[in-house]
Amino acid sequence: MDDVLAYLEAGRERFLRELMDWLRIPSISSAPEHRADVRRCAEVLAAHLRRIGLHRVEVLPTDGHPVVYAEWLGAPGRPTALVYGHYDVQPVDPLELWETPPFEPQVRDGLLFARGAVDDKGQVYLHCAVLEAYLATRGALPVNVKLLIEGEEEIGSPHLDAFIAAHRDRLAADVAVISDTPMYSAEHPSLCYGLRGLAYLEVEVEGPRSDLHSGSWGGVVANPALALARMLAALKDADERVMVPGFYDAVRPLTDADRAALAALPYDETAVAAELGVPCLVGERGYSPLERVWARPTLDVNGLWGGYSGPGAKTIIPARAGAKLSCRLVPDQDPDTIGRLVADYLRQVAPPGVRVTVRQLHGGRPVLTPLDTPALQAAQRAVERGFGKPPVFIREGGSIPFVATLVEQLRVPSVLLGVGLPDERTHAPNEFFHLVNFYRGMRAVAYLWDELSRLG
Ligand code: BES
Ligand code: ZN
């Protein structure tokens, strides 16, 4: 491995520069005004992949943002790995809270600041560096590799299912490798074997045709904002349990072994609360924080609007109010079923005098990889060699909807070898990436191809 590792070592500065150039492209998938930037971001990646020697590099259209595909299949008889990641990023608001502009990457004290630095361009780019290192030093990889880097992960991958149906043959693989998750801590290189799923809803409560004078009409007309508040308050009880009938029916209970494994990881509740700036942690009674985030479903309000919120007072009954809601799901909950149950419940608890519309925006299924999956064990050895320390096995509370599709539809087991850290402010102002893990991640992935090639 010395040749490949030496190449990665010698290339450090250039890899960082190239990543920074890529980060300058504002590939915000949710923003229509950035459509051309998203496309350019895909094309820049494709050009890079061609340059480093990958084959059949294409920017493939979808009904939304394009998918970048590339392959190197020169190792017949060896396993084929599918590297999945995303080149799109989350919006940057509130912009005024960024210390340096989100698309002008800057390194400060070994941290690379930019939107997408760790989620997910930095982690995608480290894979590119490893492929380059093998191809430049040996002219070959020890395994076959396919890359699928999409541009709509941050908006729920709405067009990926159709894409897969159209390109199923290209995506056949023995294992998928995904670097889009945080490690447990800086001291704990990690392999993630579970992700939560997601059901995302938008609810709208409509009352009178237009805003009304609250003096003339207060007392005879239902107030949509108050009606919505009642409906939302009915979603959870004082123990933080979701009150929607049937919500927990499909939840796989935690086994004693699961609980013991989670309890073995250090967790300082007071320190976490202090770090987040909250008085204390809260959550479903009877479960530890890690159990609640990794292995129990939740329901959250993501946004809430209605009526007047400008300076001073305005005496109205608003015509409408609304909220965005999401449930994080665990095996074996189904996003469509849960979405329907929550929607039905909201309609049922709505007070009289208002009209309620609930829409399901997107969803994703949860995943859980069995710990005895051979590729996961190969990854365990690779992380140990790359980081000089064996990984801990973790689950995560976040979602990557395509992973369940890979596992369930394409029958490809997934290795989640992410090298982010929980403090890196993903989706928030001042996102950054600890550069030390950018480089350690390259080493681990270089060893991963070596380890996987031995699986035959
Ligand atoms: N990288 C994250 C997924 C993630 C975050 C995994 C935290 C584990 C811990 C990914 O880019 C993401 O943010 N996914 C969205 C998916 C959604 C838009 C369907 C998420 O989890 O909110
Ligand atoms: Zn994200």
Side-chain angles (χ1 to χ4, degrees):
M1 292 297 295
D2 291 353
D3 51 347
V4 172
L5 297 180
Y7 187 94
L8 289 172
E9 192 65 35
R12 278 173 166 241
E13 287 299 312
R14 177 175 55 85
F15 295 139
L16 175 59
R17 258 193 335 267
E18 288 173 357
L19 169 58
M20 288 169 80
D21 285 341
W22 198 35
L23 286 166
R24 278 181 242 279
I25 306 173
S27 51
I28 306 172
S29 49
S30 63
E33 67 274 23
H34 283 292
R35 200 178 171 78
D37 293 315
V38 176
R39 171 146 208 111
R40 185 158 54 92
C41 189
E43 272 157 7
V44 166
L45 174 62
H48 180 70
L49 294 171
R50 277 185 206 108
R51 214 161 35 236
I52 64 175
L54 291 175
H55 302 152
R56 209 178 164 190
V57 181
E58 285 182 69
V59 177
L60 295 164
T62 70
D63 283 340
H65 301 302
V67 168
V68 178
Y69 176 85
E71 64 184 30
W72 190 89
L73 304 180
R78 299 282 117 202
T80 299
L82 175 69
V83 176
Y84 164 77
H86 62 98
Y87 66 83
D88 65 321
V89 300
Q90 285 272 330
V92 294
D93 55 286
L95 190 58
E96 65 279 9
L97 295 185
W98 286 78
E99 277 167 41
T100 50
F103 298 109
E104 293 175 27
Q106 209 189 74
V107 177
R108 301 195 287 274
D109 297 329
L111 311 178
L112 171 61
F113 287 85
R115 171 57 87 233
V118 63
D119 183 11
D120 183 32
K121 286 177 178 170
Q123 298 196 75
V124 166
Y125 192 78
L126 77 82
H127 279 275
C128 301
V130 175
L131 297 172
E132 177 190 327
Y134 270 103
L135 293 174
T137 55
R138 302 183 183 178
L141 285 152
V143 289
N144 302 293
V145 173
K146 298 175 174 181
L147 262 90
L148 175 77
I149 312 297
E150 72 150 314
E152 299 195 315
E153 195 274 349
E154 297 290 8
I155 52 173
S157 306
H159 301 103
L160 212 51
D161 283 351
F163 177 86
I164 289 153
H167 300 279
R168 222 188 167 85
D169 49 318
R170 290 200 202 210
L171 304 177
D174 301 298
V175 57
V177 178
I178 298 133
S179 300
D180 192 22
T181 47
M183 307 191 285
Y184 188 66
S185 82
E187 288 75 46
H188 296 86
S190 310
L191 283 168
C192 177
Y193 65 97
L195 292 169
R196 287 198 292 188
L198 188 69
Y200 204 111
L201 304 169
E202 185 170 304
V203 50
E204 195 167 15
V205 178
E206 289 172 291
R209 222 178 297 284
S210 99
D211 289 355
L212 297 175
H213 191 292
S214 63
S216 306
W217 298 101
V220 291
V221 170
N223 183 314
L226 188 57
L228 176 63
R230 288 210 176 109
M231 292 157 59
L232 297 179
L235 286 167
K236 278 186 169 183
D237 69 9
D239 288 337
E240 289 283 316
R241 268 184 76 85
V242 177
M243 300 284 277
V244 176
F247 186 81
Y248 293 97
D249 283 0
V251 172
R252 221 185 281 173
L254 277 155
T255 63
D256 289 344
D258 293 333
R259 299 195 97 160
L262 267 48
L265 290 164
Y267 196 97
D268 182 344
E269 218 172 304
T270 317
V272 173
E275 168 75 25
L276 299 177
V278 293
C280 61
L281 300 187
V282 300
E284 190 185 1
R285 188 205 282 271
Y287 295 91
S288 74
L290 281 183
E291 289 170 353
R292 289 176 340 233
V293 178
W294 291 356
R296 296 291 300 170
T298 53
L299 183 152
D300 275 287
V301 176
N302 306 109
L304 191 55
W305 61 92
Y308 181 69
S309 60
K314 185 182 184 201
T315 45
I316 54 160
I317 295 171
R320 46 171 26 98
K324 307 240 183 205
L325 304 180
S326 63
C327 304
R328 296 283 172 174
L329 310 177
V330 301
D332 298 301
Q333 287 177 301
D334 172 71
D336 293 333
T337 310
I338 294 296
R340 212 168 30 243
L341 288 174
V342 175
D344 288 348
Y345 179 77
L346 285 168
R347 287 187 204 103
Q348 186 205 318
V349 297
V354 292
R355 281 175 299 274
V356 175
T357 318
V358 190
R359 270 186 301 277
Q360 274 210 65
L361 296 193
H362 59 61
R365 306 175 68 81
V367 275
L368 205 52
T369 305
L371 286 170
D372 58 3
T373 304
L376 202 55
Q377 292 169 349
Q380 180 180 17
R381 295 188 290 276
V383 172
E384 175 155 12
R385 289 168 78 187
F387 280 77
K389 208 184 216 185
V392 292
F393 286 86
I394 62 170
R395 292 168 67 166
E396 270 297 341
S399 312
I400 309 176
F402 183 59
V403 180
T405 309
L406 274 169
V407 176
E408 290 170 8
Q409 288 189 35
L410 301 171
R411 305 260 156 235
V412 183
S414 296
V415 170
L416 295 159
L417 199 177
V419 295
L421 279 176
D423 67 351
E424 291 175 329
R425 306 194 191 113
T426 52
H427 296 201
N430 303 304
E431 175 180 349
F432 66 89
F433 190 10
H434 289 265
L435 284 173
V436 61
N437 295 324
F438 180 52
Y439 300 118
R440 283 185 188 141
M442 288 180 198
R443 293 170 57 89
V445 170
Y447 283 119
L448 180 64
W449 301 146
D450 179 55
E451 290 288 348
L452 284 176
S453 74
R454 294 162 204 258
L455 291 185

